Amino acid sequence: MAARAAHSPATRRTHHFRAGFGPHAVAVTDTILAYTDTVLRGRREYLTDWQVEVNHAIKETGLSFNTDAVLAVPTKTSEVRLFELDNGTMSQARLAREVWDYERYAGHRAWEGARGTIGGTYPFWQRHRYTRSKTFPRLHVVLAGRAEHLLDNRLQALTAAVQGITIAVF
């Protein structure tokens, strides 16, 4: 039996496009692979699962935001990592709005207690979404697809637009 030649990334992408995956889906997959190959390599944390194109919604309020990927990487404080990939195709205002929607979702508190009684609030995500997390997962914004100086400009604009919100940028 002849040995199969390894496919180059360009060849794999061609197969992905033929299979119906678009450039954005391939870029999200590449991001997941790069994160596991570089950030998680040699650490105790490891990838146990992932989902792509995930909607985080609170139906009662209409609040929602989307992430391109949710990676399950269990640690003592958080069970997942959230990723938003920007290839420079969405407007800066839309990218900033995604981050602000993330912040509103993370801060949403739900009321608990019978009507007319003393009740309390709790973080919505802690009971309904990421039940094993002690903190809301950080949003990782991945900037790609442009020249280095354009990515720097995009990062500066995003930082100014979301001042006060902590995000990880790759």
Side-chain angles (χ1 to χ4, degrees):
M1 184 187 290
R4 277 179 60 181
H7 292 292
S8 70
T11 303
R12 282 196 309 266
R13 283 188 185 92
T14 302
H15 291 300
H16 289 246
F17 292 133
R18 287 187 193 146
F21 298 117
H24 186 72
V26 172
V28 169
T29 302
D30 287 345
T31 298
I32 294 168
L33 294 173
Y35 183 80
T36 57
D37 286 349
T38 57
V39 177
L40 296 180
R41 181 179 298 274
R43 294 174 59 178
R44 281 191 234 190
E45 296 95 7
Y46 53 92
L47 180 67
T48 60
D49 197 5
W50 73 85
Q51 290 180 288
V52 295
E53 297 301 325
V54 178
N55 178 261
H56 308 262
I58 303 172
K59 291 179 184 174
E60 296 80 15
T61 65
L63 178 62
S64 89
F65 75 101
N66 295 314
T67 53
D68 290 319
V70 175
L71 306 185
V73 183
T75 66
K76 289 182 180 182
T77 59
S78 183
E79 61 191 281
V80 299
R81 307 285 189 278
L82 307 177
F83 285 81
E84 179 63 33
L85 176 64
D86 173 40
N87 284 321
T89 56
M90 74 171 78
S91 71
Q92 289 183 4
R94 180 174 165 216
L95 181 58
R97 190 170 52 250
E98 293 265 343
V99 174
W100 279 106
D101 288 345
Y102 154 84
E103 181 72 5
R104 281 191 288 280
Y105 185 97
H108 181 72
R109 299 187 65 82
W111 175 260
E112 123 181 292
R115 188 174 202 163
T117 65
I118 297 174
T121 63
Y122 61 90
F124 175 85
W125 58 267
Q126 204 166 36
R127 292 217 188 136
H128 301 283
R129 190 68 179 203
Y130 303 114
T131 57
R132 293 183 309 253
S133 294
K134 292 182 181 174
T135 60
F136 190 71
R138 179 176 287 170
L139 179 64
H140 295 79
V141 177
V142 179
L143 301 177
R146 298 286 184 246
E148 193 70 31
H149 72 283
L150 295 174
L151 292 176
D152 287 338
N153 292 346
R154 190 123 172 117
L155 175 58
Q156 289 175 15
L158 178 61
T159 301
V162 300
Q163 191 171 17
I165 298 175
T166 303
I167 56 173
V169 179
F170 294 104

